[in-house]
Amino acid sequence: MRIAADIVLTNGRVWRGLGHGFAEAIALWGGKVLASGTAHEIAELTGPHTQVIDLAGRLATPGLNDAHMHLLPYGAAMEEVDLRPRAAPTLESLLGALRARARETPPGDWVIGRGYDHFRLDTGRHPTRDELDAALPDHPVWIVRTDGHLAVANTMALARAGIDENTSSPPGGLIEKRDGRLTGLLAETAREPVLAVLPRADIEALAGFIERGGRDLLAHGITSCMEAAVGIRDGWLEMQAYQKAHRENRLPLRVYACLMGDVTRNLLPEAEAAGMCTGGGDARLRIGPVKIFTDGSAGGRTAAMTKPYLGGGPDDKGILCLPSDQLTQMVGDAHRAGWQMAIHAIGDAAIDQVLDAYEAALTAMPDPQRRHRIEHCGWLRPDQMARMQNLHILPAPQPAFMYWFGDLYLTLAEPERVAASHPMRTWIENGLEPSASTDCPVVEIDPFANLYAMITRKTASGTVLGADQALSLEEALHAYTHAGAYASREEAIKGCLLPGRLADIAVFDRDLFTVSPEEIRAAACDITILDGRIVYRREDAAG
Ligand SMILES: [Zn+2]
């Protein structure tokens, strides 16, 4: 008996994965890759019911895997006021967008905006509560910086959260004051009193956010992602929303669910009571690692560094969220219980702390394939590389930060420190399988900025940061496919297009291997296939 394929993609270039070369055509059957080869060979597998897609010279790759992003908040942000630089480049346009939302919002109800970047705003600084008060006197207002770690509240919002001039900054957070007056800017843990009084979404709304965000990822050729902080806002209800979306066939792509395991936001008691541990679930919704935050963001000057930020005092080195002994205890407990860890650490001081905790846990109970991760891991020092290698700790960086934030980084640290950050090539040479991701909605989900940054190391303005760390396109695609699967311990089922692997495929509008980096930056996804079914076609979306 000869199997007839469900789908054949032919007459183009199929990149099967790093070291697996190219094919002209590929056949899919039963949700898996059946075979790949020349157009002639694959034509043999075509039957009367086979859907044949003419690639017409375009490139097909394994579906992309965004190894660290925030799907539910991304879907939710689609309903908030868009304050990203493209939508609101000036303070005036930012306030105008908020005023427009206020006009359709009953007085006293919240107006929430997301995505401003003070560095790229025309004023070059955060908006203030006075400016928000003047523009929106009748609504509590909450606007979140692009990195999610800082936000500005107006007076009504601060009052609802119980924050006034006499409130002092909590541990691991900052309530900014100037001449004793609140500016409205809140960083890290200082945001929590406001987050606690924001309106809550119910499980149906949360599932809707997941569905809406997920569909958008499919439109970018992304078939797998890690949701990097399930429970960060709405606790266990978020995990239940994921399960509901999955059960009701409304989970558009494969999700590796990383559960919050912080001091104040901890899903482990509920997860363990439900019998969950890393690796559980199925190929659509997989239980992932445990998330702990140890510092803030570089752009917000809250990432914990061993050397001060440029332009600040000697103590301007960011914020460590946890004492080291507490972190070591938390990591040890979760490690013993079988969990993979995914700890947020951006600055080298935070990375030191995490490596100490991993070393203690892995020494007490060795497990060479646990593959603990460091999320972001941007600013590690060269001497920390050997420790990562010895412990086999995987970095989960966002190369796209170099593109979007690289020009900002040059105002925060010495050029050689910036050039040495996000060392993709050295990680690869050390066998640490760096994945690629966007941290979306921190930056746009667009995979092409990431690919562009990995192969050119260029910022948005064109400055090259550490050319020695640039990757080939094959290596960059490997980071976006196989390495993401490796980081979720699923490389045996996805991440390349060998026979038997899941039939998850992205088709791009051009052959990325034959065009300039600038043309890669401008590319688009034409077709996305998941489980051997077409789940996105650009021509349908446009029409
Ligand atoms: Zn994140």
Side-chain angles (χ1 to χ4, degrees), residues 354-409:
V354 175
L355 288 171
D356 289 346
Y358 283 159
E359 191 171 69
L362 284 161
T363 303
M365 191 182 115
D367 184 352
Q369 284 305 316
R370 190 67 68 90
R371 302 183 194 175
H372 291 313
R373 309 166 37 139
I374 299 181
E375 306 307 300
H376 315 300
C377 204
W379 297 75
L380 86 166
R381 299 184 311 272
D383 66 281
Q384 293 173 319
M385 187 65 78
R387 292 190 73 193
M388 289 188 76
Q389 194 185 6
N390 289 339
L391 299 166
H392 199 54
I393 305 304
L394 308 183
Q398 293 70 40
F401 282 10
M402 299 293 262
Y403 178 79
W404 297 108
F405 303 141
D407 298 304
L408 167 63
Y409 291 161

Short mmCIF file of all heavy atoms in Angstrom, two decimals, residues 354-409:
data_model
loop_
_atom_site.label_atom_id
_atom_site.label_comp_id
_atom_site.label_asym_id
_atom_site.label_seq_id
_atom_site.Cartn_x
_atom_site.Cartn_y
_atom_site.Cartn_z
N VAL A 354 21.30 33.49 40.43
CA VAL A 354 20.59 32.33 39.88
C VAL A 354 21.55 31.14 39.70
O VAL A 354 21.21 30.00 40.03
CB VAL A 354 19.91 32.70 38.55
CG1 VAL A 354 19.27 31.47 37.92
CG2 VAL A 354 18.87 33.79 38.77
N LEU A 355 22.75 31.42 39.19
CA LEU A 355 23.71 30.33 38.99
C LEU A 355 24.08 29.69 40.33
O LEU A 355 24.21 28.47 40.42
CB LEU A 355 24.96 30.85 38.26
CG LEU A 355 24.74 31.18 36.78
CD1 LEU A 355 25.97 31.90 36.20
CD2 LEU A 355 24.44 29.92 35.97
N ASP A 356 24.21 30.51 41.37
CA ASP A 356 24.47 29.95 42.71
C ASP A 356 23.34 29.01 43.14
O ASP A 356 23.58 27.91 43.64
CB ASP A 356 24.60 31.09 43.75
CG ASP A 356 25.89 31.88 43.59
OD1 ASP A 356 26.80 31.41 42.87
OD2 ASP A 356 25.99 32.97 44.20
N ALA A 357 22.11 29.46 42.92
CA ALA A 357 20.95 28.64 43.33
C ALA A 357 20.88 27.35 42.52
O ALA A 357 20.62 26.27 43.07
CB ALA A 357 19.66 29.45 43.17
N TYR A 358 21.10 27.43 41.20
CA TYR A 358 21.08 26.23 40.35
C TYR A 358 22.20 25.27 40.76
O TYR A 358 22.00 24.05 40.81
CB TYR A 358 21.23 26.61 38.87
CG TYR A 358 19.98 27.16 38.23
CD1 TYR A 358 20.06 27.94 37.08
CD2 TYR A 358 18.71 26.89 38.74
CE1 TYR A 358 18.92 28.44 36.45
CE2 TYR A 358 17.57 27.39 38.13
CZ TYR A 358 17.67 28.16 36.98
OH TYR A 358 16.56 28.64 36.37
N GLU A 359 23.37 25.84 41.02
CA GLU A 359 24.50 24.98 41.39
C GLU A 359 24.20 24.21 42.68
O GLU A 359 24.45 23.01 42.77
CB GLU A 359 25.74 25.86 41.57
CG GLU A 359 27.03 25.06 41.71
CD GLU A 359 28.23 26.01 41.65
OE1 GLU A 359 28.41 26.80 42.61
OE2 GLU A 359 28.95 25.96 40.65
N ALA A 360 23.61 24.92 43.66
CA ALA A 360 23.29 24.25 44.92
C ALA A 360 22.27 23.13 44.69
O ALA A 360 22.43 22.01 45.19
CB ALA A 360 22.75 25.27 45.92
N ALA A 361 21.23 23.42 43.88
CA ALA A 361 20.17 22.42 43.64
C ALA A 361 20.72 21.22 42.88
O ALA A 361 20.42 20.07 43.22
CB ALA A 361 19.02 23.06 42.87
N LEU A 362 21.54 21.48 41.86
CA LEU A 362 22.04 20.39 41.02
C LEU A 362 23.16 19.60 41.71
O LEU A 362 23.38 18.43 41.38
CB LEU A 362 22.54 20.95 39.68
CG LEU A 362 21.41 21.33 38.71
CD1 LEU A 362 21.91 22.29 37.63
CD2 LEU A 362 20.80 20.08 38.06
N THR A 363 23.83 20.23 42.66
CA THR A 363 24.84 19.50 43.43
C THR A 363 24.16 18.55 44.40
O THR A 363 24.54 17.39 44.55
CB THR A 363 25.75 20.49 44.19
OG1 THR A 363 26.34 21.37 43.23
CG2 THR A 363 26.85 19.76 44.95
N ALA A 364 23.08 19.06 45.05
CA ALA A 364 22.37 18.22 46.02
C ALA A 364 21.65 17.07 45.32
O ALA A 364 21.53 15.97 45.87
CB ALA A 364 21.37 19.07 46.79
N MET A 365 21.14 17.32 44.11
CA MET A 365 20.41 16.28 43.38
C MET A 365 20.70 16.42 41.90
O MET A 365 19.99 17.10 41.18
CB MET A 365 18.91 16.42 43.64
CG MET A 365 18.11 15.22 43.15
SD MET A 365 16.33 15.45 43.42
CE MET A 365 15.79 15.51 41.73
N PRO A 366 21.78 15.78 41.43
CA PRO A 366 22.18 15.95 40.02
C PRO A 366 21.10 15.46 39.05
O PRO A 366 20.42 14.47 39.30
CB PRO A 366 23.44 15.07 39.90
CG PRO A 366 23.93 14.91 41.30
CD PRO A 366 22.71 14.92 42.17
N ASP A 367 20.93 16.20 37.97
CA ASP A 367 20.00 15.81 36.90
C ASP A 367 20.45 16.56 35.65
O ASP A 367 19.99 17.65 35.36
CB ASP A 367 18.56 16.19 37.27
CG ASP A 367 17.56 15.71 36.22
OD1 ASP A 367 18.00 15.23 35.15
OD2 ASP A 367 16.35 15.82 36.45
N PRO A 368 21.38 15.94 34.89
CA PRO A 368 22.02 16.65 33.77
C PRO A 368 21.04 17.10 32.69
O PRO A 368 21.34 18.03 31.95
CB PRO A 368 23.01 15.61 33.21
CG PRO A 368 23.06 14.49 34.17
CD PRO A 368 21.87 14.58 35.07
N GLN A 369 19.88 16.47 32.59
CA GLN A 369 18.94 16.84 31.54
C GLN A 369 17.74 17.65 32.06
O GLN A 369 16.72 17.74 31.40
CB GLN A 369 18.45 15.60 30.78
CG GLN A 369 19.48 15.06 29.81
CD GLN A 369 19.96 16.10 28.81
OE1 GLN A 369 19.19 16.86 28.24
NE2 GLN A 369 21.28 16.18 28.61
N ARG A 370 17.88 18.24 33.25
CA ARG A 370 16.77 19.05 33.74
C ARG A 370 16.61 20.34 32.91
O ARG A 370 15.54 20.88 32.78
CB ARG A 370 16.97 19.38 35.22
CG ARG A 370 15.75 20.03 35.88
CD ARG A 370 14.56 19.08 35.98
NE ARG A 370 14.81 18.00 36.92
CZ ARG A 370 14.51 18.05 38.21
NH1 ARG A 370 13.95 19.13 38.72
NH2 ARG A 370 14.77 17.03 39.00
N ARG A 371 17.75 20.81 32.40
CA ARG A 371 17.71 21.97 31.49
C ARG A 371 17.08 23.20 32.12
O ARG A 371 16.20 23.85 31.53
CB ARG A 371 17.01 21.64 30.17
CG ARG A 371 17.65 20.49 29.44
CD ARG A 371 16.99 20.21 28.10
NE ARG A 371 17.42 18.91 27.59
CZ ARG A 371 16.95 18.35 26.49
NH1 ARG A 371 16.06 18.97 25.75
NH2 ARG A 371 17.39 17.16 26.10
N HIS A 372 17.49 23.52 33.34
CA HIS A 372 17.03 24.78 33.93
C HIS A 372 17.42 25.93 33.01
O HIS A 372 18.44 25.88 32.32
CB HIS A 372 17.66 24.98 35.32
CG HIS A 372 17.15 24.01 36.35
ND1 HIS A 372 15.81 23.74 36.52
CD2 HIS A 372 17.81 23.25 37.27
CE1 HIS A 372 15.67 22.85 37.49
NE2 HIS A 372 16.86 22.54 37.96
N ARG A 373 16.60 26.97 33.03
CA ARG A 373 16.75 28.08 32.09
C ARG A 373 17.00 29.39 32.82
O ARG A 373 16.60 29.54 33.97
CB ARG A 373 15.47 28.26 31.26
CG ARG A 373 14.97 27.02 30.62
CD ARG A 373 13.53 27.11 30.08
NE ARG A 373 13.15 28.37 29.47
CZ ARG A 373 12.42 28.49 28.35
NH1 ARG A 373 12.03 27.41 27.70
NH2 ARG A 373 12.07 29.68 27.90
N ILE A 374 17.66 30.31 32.15
CA ILE A 374 17.70 31.70 32.63
C ILE A 374 17.00 32.55 31.58
O ILE A 374 17.45 32.63 30.43
CB ILE A 374 19.14 32.21 32.86
CG1 ILE A 374 19.83 31.35 33.93
CG2 ILE A 374 19.11 33.68 33.30
CD1 ILE A 374 21.26 31.79 34.25
N GLU A 375 15.88 33.14 31.97
CA GLU A 375 15.10 33.96 31.06
C GLU A 375 15.78 35.31 30.88
O GLU A 375 16.19 35.94 31.86
CB GLU A 375 13.67 34.13 31.58
CG GLU A 375 12.97 32.81 31.88
CD GLU A 375 12.98 31.82 30.72
OE1 GLU A 375 12.43 32.17 29.64
OE2 GLU A 375 13.54 30.71 30.89
N HIS A 376 15.95 35.71 29.63
CA HIS A 376 16.60 36.96 29.22
C HIS A 376 18.12 36.81 29.23
O HIS A 376 18.74 36.77 28.20
CB HIS A 376 16.13 38.17 30.04
CG HIS A 376 14.65 38.20 30.22
ND1 HIS A 376 13.81 38.28 29.13
CD2 HIS A 376 13.85 38.11 31.31
CE1 HIS A 376 12.55 38.24 29.56
NE2 HIS A 376 12.55 38.14 30.88
N CYS A 377 18.70 36.71 30.43
CA CYS A 377 20.13 36.38 30.55
C CYS A 377 21.01 37.33 29.73
O CYS A 377 22.10 36.96 29.29
CB CYS A 377 20.35 34.92 30.10
SG CYS A 377 21.82 34.16 30.81
N GLY A 378 20.53 38.56 29.51
CA GLY A 378 21.14 39.45 28.54
C GLY A 378 22.55 39.90 28.85
O GLY A 378 23.42 39.94 27.98
N TRP A 379 22.80 40.23 30.13
CA TRP A 379 24.02 40.97 30.44
C TRP A 379 24.99 40.11 31.23
O TRP A 379 25.63 40.58 32.16
CB TRP A 379 23.65 42.25 31.21
CG TRP A 379 22.81 43.16 30.36
CD1 TRP A 379 21.49 42.99 30.04
CD2 TRP A 379 23.24 44.35 29.69
NE1 TRP A 379 21.08 44.01 29.22
CE2 TRP A 379 22.12 44.85 28.99
CE3 TRP A 379 24.46 45.03 29.62
CZ2 TRP A 379 22.20 46.03 28.22
CZ3 TRP A 379 24.52 46.19 28.87
CH2 TRP A 379 23.40 46.67 28.17
N LEU A 380 25.13 38.84 30.85
CA LEU A 380 26.07 38.01 31.60
C LEU A 380 27.51 38.37 31.24
O LEU A 380 27.80 38.81 30.14
CB LEU A 380 25.78 36.52 31.40
CG LEU A 380 26.38 35.80 30.22
CD1 LEU A 380 26.25 34.32 30.41
CD2 LEU A 380 25.69 36.24 28.95
N ARG A 381 28.38 38.14 32.21
CA ARG A 381 29.81 38.39 32.00
C ARG A 381 30.44 37.14 31.39
O ARG A 381 29.94 36.03 31.58
CB ARG A 381 30.51 38.67 33.35
CG ARG A 381 30.02 39.87 34.12
CD ARG A 381 30.88 40.06 35.39
NE ARG A 381 31.03 38.83 36.16
CZ ARG A 381 30.18 38.42 37.11
NH1 ARG A 381 29.11 39.15 37.41
NH2 ARG A 381 30.39 37.30 37.77
N PRO A 382 31.57 37.33 30.68
CA PRO A 382 32.24 36.15 30.07
C PRO A 382 32.54 35.06 31.10
O PRO A 382 32.42 33.87 30.79
CB PRO A 382 33.52 36.75 29.49
CG PRO A 382 33.18 38.18 29.20
CD PRO A 382 32.21 38.59 30.28
N ASP A 383 32.89 35.44 32.34
CA ASP A 383 33.25 34.41 33.31
C ASP A 383 32.04 33.59 33.77
O ASP A 383 32.19 32.52 34.33
CB ASP A 383 33.94 35.04 34.53
CG ASP A 383 33.00 35.94 35.32
OD1 ASP A 383 32.79 37.08 34.90
OD2 ASP A 383 32.46 35.49 36.35
N GLN A 384 30.83 34.08 33.50
CA GLN A 384 29.64 33.32 33.88
C GLN A 384 29.31 32.24 32.85
O GLN A 384 28.56 31.31 33.15
CB GLN A 384 28.44 34.27 34.05
CG GLN A 384 28.62 35.23 35.23
CD GLN A 384 27.53 36.28 35.30
OE1 GLN A 384 27.11 36.83 34.28
NE2 GLN A 384 27.07 36.57 36.51
N MET A 385 29.87 32.38 31.65
CA MET A 385 29.58 31.43 30.57
C MET A 385 30.01 30.02 30.97
O MET A 385 29.27 29.05 30.75
CB MET A 385 30.32 31.88 29.30
CG MET A 385 29.99 31.11 28.06
SD MET A 385 28.29 31.29 27.50
CE MET A 385 28.32 32.90 26.69
N ALA A 386 31.18 29.88 31.58
CA ALA A 386 31.68 28.56 31.95
C ALA A 386 30.77 27.90 32.99
O ALA A 386 30.53 26.69 32.95
CB ALA A 386 33.11 28.67 32.49
N ARG A 387 30.24 28.71 33.89
CA ARG A 387 29.34 28.15 34.90
C ARG A 387 28.06 27.64 34.24
O ARG A 387 27.54 26.59 34.59
CB ARG A 387 28.97 29.20 35.95
CG ARG A 387 30.14 29.63 36.83
CD ARG A 387 29.65 30.47 38.00
NE ARG A 387 28.95 29.69 39.01
CZ ARG A 387 28.21 30.23 39.99
NH1 ARG A 387 28.07 31.54 40.08
NH2 ARG A 387 27.62 29.46 40.87
N MET A 388 27.53 28.42 33.28
CA MET A 388 26.33 27.97 32.56
C MET A 388 26.60 26.64 31.87
O MET A 388 25.78 25.73 31.89
CB MET A 388 25.90 29.00 31.49
CG MET A 388 25.31 30.27 32.05
SD MET A 388 24.61 31.34 30.75
CE MET A 388 23.07 30.48 30.38
N GLN A 389 27.79 26.55 31.26
CA GLN A 389 28.13 25.35 30.52
C GLN A 389 28.26 24.14 31.45
O GLN A 389 27.72 23.07 31.18
CB GLN A 389 29.43 25.58 29.75
CG GLN A 389 29.68 24.54 28.70
CD GLN A 389 31.03 24.71 28.03
OE1 GLN A 389 31.84 25.55 28.43
NE2 GLN A 389 31.27 23.92 27.01
N ASN A 390 28.96 24.33 32.57
CA ASN A 390 29.15 23.22 33.51
C ASN A 390 27.83 22.68 34.04
O ASN A 390 27.67 21.48 34.27
CB ASN A 390 30.03 23.67 34.69
CG ASN A 390 31.46 23.87 34.25
OD1 ASN A 390 31.88 23.33 33.23
ND2 ASN A 390 32.21 24.67 35.01
N LEU A 391 26.89 23.59 34.28
CA LEU A 391 25.60 23.18 34.86
C LEU A 391 24.56 22.87 33.78
O LEU A 391 23.46 22.45 34.09
CB LEU A 391 25.07 24.29 35.77
CG LEU A 391 25.96 24.67 36.97
CD1 LEU A 391 25.50 25.98 37.60
CD2 LEU A 391 25.93 23.54 38.01
N HIS A 392 24.93 23.10 32.50
CA HIS A 392 24.01 22.99 31.36
C HIS A 392 22.73 23.81 31.61
O HIS A 392 21.61 23.30 31.59
CB HIS A 392 23.66 21.54 31.03
CG HIS A 392 23.10 21.37 29.64
ND1 HIS A 392 23.75 21.83 28.52
CD2 HIS A 392 21.93 20.85 29.18
CE1 HIS A 392 23.02 21.58 27.45
NE2 HIS A 392 21.90 21.00 27.81
N ILE A 393 22.92 25.09 31.87
CA ILE A 393 21.82 26.04 32.07
C ILE A 393 21.55 26.74 30.74
O ILE A 393 22.46 27.33 30.15
CB ILE A 393 22.19 27.08 33.14
CG1 ILE A 393 22.60 26.40 34.45
CG2 ILE A 393 21.04 28.07 33.35
CD1 ILE A 393 21.59 25.46 35.02
N LEU A 394 20.31 26.66 30.26
CA LEU A 394 19.99 27.20 28.95
C LEU A 394 19.59 28.68 29.04
O LEU A 394 18.77 29.04 29.87
CB LEU A 394 18.81 26.43 28.33
CG LEU A 394 18.93 24.91 28.29
CD1 LEU A 394 17.71 24.33 27.57
CD2 LEU A 394 20.21 24.48 27.60
N PRO A 395 20.15 29.52 28.14
CA PRO A 395 19.71 30.90 28.09
C PRO A 395 18.44 31.03 27.23
O PRO A 395 18.32 30.35 26.21
CB PRO A 395 20.88 31.61 27.41
CG PRO A 395 21.48 30.58 26.51
CD PRO A 395 21.21 29.23 27.15
N ALA A 396 17.51 31.88 27.67
CA ALA A 396 16.31 32.16 26.87
C ALA A 396 16.27 33.66 26.56
O ALA A 396 15.50 34.42 27.14
CB ALA A 396 15.06 31.72 27.62
N PRO A 397 17.17 34.09 25.65
CA PRO A 397 17.32 35.53 25.39
C PRO A 397 16.35 36.03 24.32
O PRO A 397 15.71 35.24 23.62
CB PRO A 397 18.75 35.61 24.86
CG PRO A 397 18.93 34.32 24.12
CD PRO A 397 18.11 33.28 24.87
N GLN A 398 16.27 37.34 24.21
CA GLN A 398 15.48 38.01 23.19
C GLN A 398 16.42 38.82 22.32
O GLN A 398 16.66 40.01 22.58
CB GLN A 398 14.43 38.94 23.82
CG GLN A 398 13.35 38.21 24.60
CD GLN A 398 13.86 37.59 25.88
OE1 GLN A 398 14.66 38.18 26.59
NE2 GLN A 398 13.42 36.38 26.17
N PRO A 399 16.99 38.19 21.27
CA PRO A 399 17.91 38.95 20.42
C PRO A 399 17.26 40.22 19.88
O PRO A 399 17.95 41.22 19.63
CB PRO A 399 18.23 37.96 19.30
CG PRO A 399 17.96 36.61 19.88
CD PRO A 399 16.84 36.79 20.85
N ALA A 400 15.94 40.22 19.71
CA ALA A 400 15.24 41.40 19.20
C ALA A 400 15.40 42.61 20.12
O ALA A 400 15.23 43.75 19.67
CB ALA A 400 13.76 41.09 18.98
N PHE A 401 15.73 42.37 21.40
CA PHE A 401 15.97 43.52 22.29
C PHE A 401 17.12 44.37 21.75
O PHE A 401 17.15 45.58 21.92
CB PHE A 401 16.31 43.06 23.71
CG PHE A 401 15.13 42.63 24.53
CD1 PHE A 401 13.87 42.47 23.97
CD2 PHE A 401 15.29 42.38 25.89
CE1 PHE A 401 12.78 42.06 24.75
CE2 PHE A 401 14.21 41.99 26.67
CZ PHE A 401 12.96 41.81 26.11
N MET A 402 18.12 43.71 21.12
CA MET A 402 19.25 44.45 20.57
C MET A 402 18.77 45.39 19.47
O MET A 402 19.27 46.49 19.31
CB MET A 402 20.30 43.48 20.00
CG MET A 402 20.89 42.54 21.01
SD MET A 402 21.90 43.39 22.23
CE MET A 402 23.53 43.13 21.55
N TYR A 403 17.79 44.91 18.70
CA TYR A 403 17.25 45.73 17.63
C TYR A 403 16.40 46.88 18.20
O TYR A 403 16.63 48.05 17.90
CB TYR A 403 16.40 44.87 16.69
CG TYR A 403 15.76 45.66 15.57
CD1 TYR A 403 16.50 46.02 14.45
CD2 TYR A 403 14.42 46.05 15.64
CE1 TYR A 403 15.92 46.75 13.42
CE2 TYR A 403 13.83 46.78 14.62
CZ TYR A 403 14.59 47.13 13.52
OH TYR A 403 14.00 47.86 12.52
N TRP A 404 15.45 46.53 19.08
CA TRP A 404 14.50 47.54 19.58
C TRP A 404 15.11 48.44 20.65
O TRP A 404 14.76 49.61 20.75
CB TRP A 404 13.25 46.86 20.14
CG TRP A 404 12.46 46.09 19.13
CD1 TRP A 404 12.37 44.72 19.04
CD2 TRP A 404 11.65 46.61 18.07
NE1 TRP A 404 11.55 44.37 17.99
CE2 TRP A 404 11.09 45.51 17.38
CE3 TRP A 404 11.34 47.91 17.65
CZ2 TRP A 404 10.25 45.66 16.29
CZ3 TRP A 404 10.49 48.05 16.56
CH2 TRP A 404 9.96 46.94 15.90
N PHE A 405 15.96 47.88 21.53
CA PHE A 405 16.46 48.63 22.69
C PHE A 405 17.95 48.92 22.64
O PHE A 405 18.49 49.56 23.54
CB PHE A 405 16.17 47.86 24.00
CG PHE A 405 14.72 47.53 24.23
CD1 PHE A 405 14.35 46.30 24.77
CD2 PHE A 405 13.71 48.43 23.92
CE1 PHE A 405 13.02 45.98 24.99
CE2 PHE A 405 12.37 48.12 24.13
CZ PHE A 405 12.03 46.89 24.66
N GLY A 406 18.65 48.45 21.58
CA GLY A 406 20.10 48.59 21.53
C GLY A 406 20.56 50.04 21.65
O GLY A 406 21.55 50.33 22.33
N ASP A 407 19.83 50.95 21.01
CA ASP A 407 20.23 52.36 21.09
C ASP A 407 20.04 52.90 22.51
O ASP A 407 20.85 53.70 22.98
CB ASP A 407 19.42 53.17 20.07
CG ASP A 407 19.70 52.72 18.64
OD1 ASP A 407 20.89 52.73 18.25
OD2 ASP A 407 18.75 52.33 17.94
N LEU A 408 18.99 52.42 23.19
CA LEU A 408 18.79 52.80 24.60
C LEU A 408 19.91 52.21 25.46
O LEU A 408 20.46 52.88 26.35
CB LEU A 408 17.43 52.29 25.07
CG LEU A 408 17.13 52.29 26.58
CD1 LEU A 408 17.14 53.72 27.12
CD2 LEU A 408 15.78 51.63 26.87
N TYR A 409 20.29 50.94 25.18
CA TYR A 409 21.33 50.29 25.98
C TYR A 409 22.63 51.11 25.96
O TYR A 409 23.36 51.17 26.95
CB TYR A 409 21.63 48.88 25.46
CG TYR A 409 20.51 47.87 25.67
CD1 TYR A 409 20.46 46.71 24.92
CD2 TYR A 409 19.52 48.07 26.63
CE1 TYR A 409 19.45 45.77 25.10
CE2 TYR A 409 18.51 47.14 26.82
CZ TYR A 409 18.48 45.99 26.05
OH TYR A 409 17.49 45.06 26.23
#
